[in-house]
Amino acid sequence: MTDETISPAGYPAAILKGDVVGVAFEGVRARLRALFPETIFRHVILPPHANRATWDAIIKEAPCVAVGMGGWRASQRASNTFIGDLTFPLAVLQTMSRPDDLYLGTGQLQDIGVAGIMAAVAGGLNGWTLAGVGSCKISAITLPNTEDWFDDRSVLVAVELVFEGVKLDNTLALAELEDFMAGQTAVQVEKESGNE
């Protein structure tokens, strides 16, 4: 079954795929796979509201890189065209056999420590430009308190990635969406008037 079968006829495929939001998400995921190779790091999509069981499963396969979608907050420049800051939460999880190695690692990529993760994220993502979306900025790299969830051999490095001033870029898809919505409104008006 294809998307076209499920979706109403005339609904723009570019909008269904998320337009610039989908492009940004896939671009971030590709950049993370290059920065943290899949031969060493497990890569997962972080659910919007990850629960304890999800985090337990993720940490069991550390080192692990988890990314999700955060939000799209309107900027001051927004007018008739929605323009906003697009955010993505990123979590890099690591487990060591010795807690003393958590900060500086062991000198091997599979045992990269907090300092190395922070340096790799800052160097590989801050200032990186994704075509069609914009430049990525890191607003924060933190070590959230996980003492109730993880033991003292594990760490979560949390990062917030931001693309500022992002707007929908597919004018044709937006026009098609407007046409689709106008058609849906006409059908609704006809049904309400009894002319089916």
Side-chain angles (χ1 to χ4, degrees):
M1 190 178 289
T2 65
D3 288 342
E4 289 74 26
T5 309
I6 297 169
S7 301
Y11 206 99
I15 296 294
L16 288 174
K17 292 179 181 174
D19 195 76
V20 70
V21 180
V23 169
F25 186 61
E26 288 303 324
V28 166
R29 292 186 68 214
R31 183 73 171 185
L32 288 170
R33 285 191 296 270
L35 190 58
F36 297 103
E38 290 180 289
T39 53
I40 296 172
F41 294 86
R42 181 170 173 245
H43 286 256
V44 299
I45 294 176
L46 196 57
H49 303 287
N51 61 24
R52 174 70 183 262
T54 299
W55 285 114
D56 286 346
I58 290 172
I59 197 66
K60 282 180 186 170
E61 297 196 37
C64 183
V65 176
V67 67
M69 286 190 189
W72 198 4
R73 185 178 302 267
S75 70
Q76 301 291 353
R77 298 175 19 206
S79 58
N80 289 342
T81 302
F82 183 86
I83 300 172
D85 297 343
L86 192 56
T87 63
F88 297 93
L90 165 64
V92 182
L93 295 101
Q94 180 61 288
T95 297
M96 299 285 191
S97 54
R98 290 178 355 114
D100 291 355
D101 292 331
L102 280 174
Y103 286 119
L104 298 179
T106 65
Q108 301 295 317
L109 183 55
Q110 67 268 16
D111 293 325
I112 190 171
V114 169
I117 292 169
M118 288 180 167
V121 166
L125 293 169
N126 195 64
W128 161 63
T129 300
L130 179 58
V133 178
S135 181
C136 182
K137 181 177 94 175
I138 294 175
S139 65
I141 303 175
T142 60
L143 300 177
N145 185 352
T146 56
E147 65 188 25
D148 294 337
W149 287 29
F150 304 151
D151 64 29
D152 62 1
R153 296 179 306 108
S154 301
V155 66
L156 180 145
V157 179
V159 183
E160 185 175 62
L161 306 177
V162 181
F163 291 90
E164 295 178 336
V166 176
K167 66 179 181 174
L168 291 172
D169 68 344
N170 194 328
T171 333
L172 180 59
L174 293 177
E176 289 173 3
L177 182 60
E178 190 60 40
D179 290 345
F180 173 78
M181 290 168 50
Q184 293 297 94
T185 303
V187 168
Q188 187 65 32
V189 169
E190 284 182 21
K191 283 183 180 177
E192 287 175 0
S193 68
N195 301 328
E196 289 188 50

